[in-house]
Structure formats: C-alpha cells, structure tokens
C-alpha cells in the first residue's frame, strides 16, 4: 500500500475539517467566554477572593494537563468518537456544577471538572485519522482558525451575555453548547475508517521523557507555558482595570472587539513577512516583546480606557502571532515518528501554563496588587526572550508518512530512502508499517520515494 498524492481536500477531508473546526469552536467558546468576566461576576459569590477566582480561571488547565494524554490513549482503545462524547459529557457536567454553585469554591470545582473532559488530543487524532498526510496541515489549519475566531468572538460575547444571563446563566449556556457539540459529533463528523500512524497523533511517557531533552522543543514548550500563563494572568487583572477606568462590565466588549480585530489585521502580515524573509526567530522575539511592552504599559497606566485598548491590541498582536507560530514550529522540529509525543508535551505545557497563570496571578494580586502580577509576567517574558535567542527554526522542511506493506528487507529500504536528495531524516516503525521522512521541500522528490516503496 502506497500513499497516493492528490491536490486539494477530498469530500471526507472537507467534511472532517469543517465539522471538527465547529466542534472545537463550540468547545473553546465555553472556556474563553468566562475569561473576561469571571473575576467581575465572581465577586458576587460566597468566599470570593482574588486567589480563588484566579484558581477558578486556571483550574481547567490543571485537569486538562492531567487528562489529555490518558484520554488520547483511551481513544486508541475504544475509538475517537466515544471518548469525545465522554469528554463533552464531563465538560457539560462541570458546567452544570458551576452553574448551580453559590460559592467560588463550587465554581472552581466545576471548572476543574470541565478540564477533565480533555478532548483536544483526541479531536486532533481524529483529524489526523480523517486526512491524508499530504492534506493534514490544511485540516489542522481549519481547526486552528476556528480556535482563533472562537477566542475573538468569546471575548466580545462573554461580557454581553454575562450582563444578560449572569454568571450562572453563562455556565448553563456553556453546558448547552457542549450538548450541541455532541450533536455535531454524532450527525456531522465523519467516521474514520483508517487510523493515522501512531507517531503522528500519540504520546507515551518514554517518548515524552526523550523529547524533554530536545533543546529546541524544550524552548517551544517553555514558550507555550509562558504564553498561556501570561494570558490567564492578564484576565485576572484587566477586567478590574477596565472597571476602575469607569467602563461597566457589560461594555467591556467595546474595548475587546476593536483590540482583537486590529490585532488580527496586524498579525497576518507579520506571519507572511516572517515566512518570506525566512526570519521566523526575529519576528518570534518581536512578538514576545509586544507582550512584554503591554505588561510594562500596564504598570504606568492610570485609568485611561484608550490606553487600555492600546495595551490589549499590542498584547493580542503578539499573542495571536505566537499562538499561530508555536504549533507549526513544534511539528516542524519534532523528530520523525514522534510528532504525537511532541504535541503531547506541548499541550501539557500549554494547559499547565493556564493553571499556573490563573492561580499565581490570584495569589500575587492578593499579596501585592496588580503591580506584583505585572512584574511576575514581565520576568517570565524576559526569560522567554533569552531562551528564544537559541532557537534554530528549520525553514523549507516538511514531514511525510509513507504507508508500506511488509518489506522483505526493511533496513535496505530505509537505507535507500535516507540517501535520496533532500531527505534530512528517515525512520521506519515496523509495527505501524510506516516510514517517516523529514525532507527539504526544494530538493526532495516524493515520486522517487514512492517508487522505492513500491519496489520493496
């Protein structure tokens, strides 16, 4: 069996891309809508304190980090869709628990339950199952765009809907969105007949430990940890700053919406220019510097809504650029056959960052106010810039996974593939009947590799 290269998405891949993007958008909206409002409306709950509201904001990140890999492992045993249904049901249950809570402790418990419905790794695995390797990046891009749009829309809808429904009503709405997502899975998402190779989607502890020693990947793992720590930290203090500036909670969308829209307009050219000039590291550090500048300006801001809008715009330009760049860099740098493990470490780092950001920002706000939170995030961003100076991003690199039948001499086939022009690295996983190739796109000819596989 050999990979057949076709241009464009086939009908199954299109349906899978659109439906999984919708699924992700519904799921992430349930998390993002809470970020700009929880610190405001949480003040009405028994036991409110900045420490506990910070924990409630970040609690889902802790349980997400704990359950991503186990849920992905379970999906290999019982199937992708049953695990996605289970995860959405747990997420809905957590939303109901939070909706019924009259204390910040109950809301924190509900948020932790929401995180236990950790389906991101399983949805990504299903996306890989539903797509050919040559088209997989396009499917993943659809999902990435849906997350970005969900984030932008949620920042606007969260304050508006909270004013209409209250915090409890918002949690009930989120539970309803989880049920809608379950209907999408049942009626719209295609069933996968073939699974992608395990190295493309799976992570195991042995591989993860090995990847933790990879200097380039560790830089990116630290980066996504810091990025989501700073994001959750921002939403512990920014809603309060907008209130202090005289903007009512239901009007916060008037600042969030322009900031997000302008940030997307500015971020896209940065991505294009960085790719064309092959200066990804420089623009990457520039984006981190925008986050740093936003936090420094928060230290000197004195109640101006316009300045808060500028701060948010700078922050979201940097955040959106980095959020789009990091997964691509991970896929680019991951050793052949270990992409799943690399993304597993990456996702765990991301959700841990969300948890540490929320909980530490709450504790620091109680101890030293907004200034303490800002200096904490500024320190971490400076460390990230120093860490990123050692980045060695590879440009013009692409990965292929070629399905093979049982070759008589697998070592001989691997040796022939390794010496093809443009091949950077080749790995054969006999149990998967798969050869992974990392290649230089300008030098590599896929047809020659396919001829060798056919001959074997």
């Amino acid at each position: 069996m050999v990979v057949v290269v076709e241009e464009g998405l086939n009908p199954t891949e299109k349906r899978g891309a659109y439906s999984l993007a919708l699924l992700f958008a519904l799921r992430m909206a349930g998390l993002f809508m809470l970020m700009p409002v929880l610190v405001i409306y949480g003040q009405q709950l028994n036991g409110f304190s900045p420490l506990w509201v910070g924990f409630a904001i970040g609690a889902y990140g802790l349980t997400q980090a704990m359950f991503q890999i186990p849920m992905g492992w379970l999906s290999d045993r019982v199937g992708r869709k049953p695990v996605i249904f289970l995860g959405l049901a747990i997420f809905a249950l957590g939303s109901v628990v939070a909706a019924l809570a009259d204390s910040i402790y109950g809301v924190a418990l509900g948020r932790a339950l929401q995180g236990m419905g950790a389906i991101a790794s399983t949805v990504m695995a299903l996306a890989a199952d539903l797509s050919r390797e040559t088209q997989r990046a396009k499917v993943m891009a659809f999902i990435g765009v849906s997350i970005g749009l969900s984030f932008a829309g949620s920042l606007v809808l969260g304050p508006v809907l909270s004013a209409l429904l209250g915090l409890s009503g918002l949690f009930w709405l989120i539970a309803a969105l989880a049920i809608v997502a379950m209907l999408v899975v049942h009626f719209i998402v295609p069933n996968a007949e073939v699974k992608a190779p395990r190295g493309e989607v799976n992570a195991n502890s042995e591989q993860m430990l090995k990847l933790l020693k990879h200097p380039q990947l560790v830089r990116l793992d630290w980066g996504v940890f810091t990025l989501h720590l700073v994001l959750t930290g921002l939403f512990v203090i920014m809603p309060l700053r907008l209130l202090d500036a005289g903007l009512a909670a239901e009007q916060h969308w008037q600042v969030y919406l322009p900031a997000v829209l302008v940030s997307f307009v500015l971020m896209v050219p940065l991505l294009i220019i960085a790719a064309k000039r092959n200066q990804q590291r420089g623009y990457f550090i520039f984006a981190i510097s925008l986050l740093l500048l936003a936090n420094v300006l928060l230290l000197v801001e004195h109640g101006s809504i316009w300045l808060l809008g500028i701060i948010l715009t700078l922050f979201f330009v940097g955040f959106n650029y980095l959020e789009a760049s990091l997964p691509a860099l991970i896929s680019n740098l991951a050793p052949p056959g270990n992409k799943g493990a690399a993304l597993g470490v990456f996702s765990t780092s991301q959700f841990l960052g969300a948890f540490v950001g929320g909980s530490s920002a709450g504790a620091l706000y109680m101890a030293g106010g907004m200034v303490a939170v800002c200096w904490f995030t500024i320190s971490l961003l400076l460390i990230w810039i120093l860490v990123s100076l050692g980045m060695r991003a590879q440009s013009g690199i692409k990965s292929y996974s070629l399905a093979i039948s049982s070759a008589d001499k697998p070592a001989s086939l691997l040796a022939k593939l390794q010496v093809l022009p443009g091949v950077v690295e080749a790995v054969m996983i006999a149990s998967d009947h798969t050869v992974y190739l990392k290649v230089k796109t300008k030098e590599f000819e896929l047809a020659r590799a396919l001829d060798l596989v056919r001959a074997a």
Side-chain angles (χ1 to χ4, degrees), residues 56-278:
I57 289 175
Y60 85 94
L62 178 62
T63 47
Q64 283 271 337
M66 292 169 60
F67 283 86
Q68 280 296 334
I69 293 173
M71 293 286 270
W73 175 87
L74 183 63
S75 75
D76 275 334
R77 272 67 185 171
V78 303
R80 310 294 190 208
K81 281 193 172 183
V83 170
I84 294 174
F85 277 118
L86 174 64
L88 290 171
I90 294 172
F91 181 79
L93 175 63
S95 303
V96 171
V97 168
L100 295 173
D102 59 1
S103 70
I104 191 65
Y105 316 115
V107 170
L109 174 61
R111 290 280 288 168
L113 280 172
Q114 284 183 323
M116 290 174 64
I119 60 169
S121 60
T122 305
V123 174
M124 289 299 189
L126 180 56
D129 294 344
L130 291 170
S131 57
R132 295 159 294 163
E133 198 281 335
T134 54
Q135 303 300 318
R136 196 162 295 148
K138 296 177 185 177
V139 175
M140 297 299 183
F142 272 103
I143 294 174
V145 169
S146 75
I147 295 173
L149 293 176
S150 177
F151 177 72
S154 297
L155 290 182
V156 176
L157 290 174
V160 175
L161 293 174
S162 297
L164 294 173
L165 306 174
L167 189 60
S168 176
L170 188 60
F171 275 113
W172 282 115
L173 175 61
I174 291 167
L177 290 177
I179 295 172
V180 173
M182 294 171 76
L183 295 176
V184 169
V185 175
H186 182 71
F187 290 107
I188 304 178
V189 175
N191 293 311
E193 298 178 2
V194 180
K195 284 190 176 182
R198 285 176 295 189
E200 292 291 308
V201 297
N202 256 1
N204 62 53
S205 57
E206 182 180 348
Q207 288 175 320
M208 289 176 68
L209 290 173
K210 186 184 298 183
L211 292 171
L212 286 173
K213 301 176 182 178
H214 192 298
Q216 295 300 319
L217 293 179
V218 167
R219 285 181 168 86
L220 300 178
D221 295 331
W222 168 259
V224 78
F225 172 86
T226 305
L227 182 64
H228 284 263
L229 184 156
V230 172
L231 175 68
T232 49
L234 177 77
F235 281 104
V236 170
I237 59 175
M238 181 57 74
L240 298 175
R241 293 313 301 265
L242 290 171
L243 286 177
D244 292 342
L247 194 65
E250 62 271 18
Q251 296 175 324
H252 285 191
W253 67 270
Q254 297 174 7
V255 177
Y256 291 133
L257 179 59
V260 170
L261 292 178
V262 173
S263 73
F264 274 114
V265 171
L266 296 177
M267 177 269 293
V268 173
L270 287 179
L271 286 171
I272 295 172
I273 295 170
K276 282 186 176 181
R277 296 183 179 178
N278 193 22

Side-chain angles (χ1 to χ4, degrees), residues 330-347:
I330 283 282
S331 296
N332 185 277
L333 291 168
N338 286 275
K339 190 184 294 183
L343 289 171
V345 177
F346 180 80
S347 296

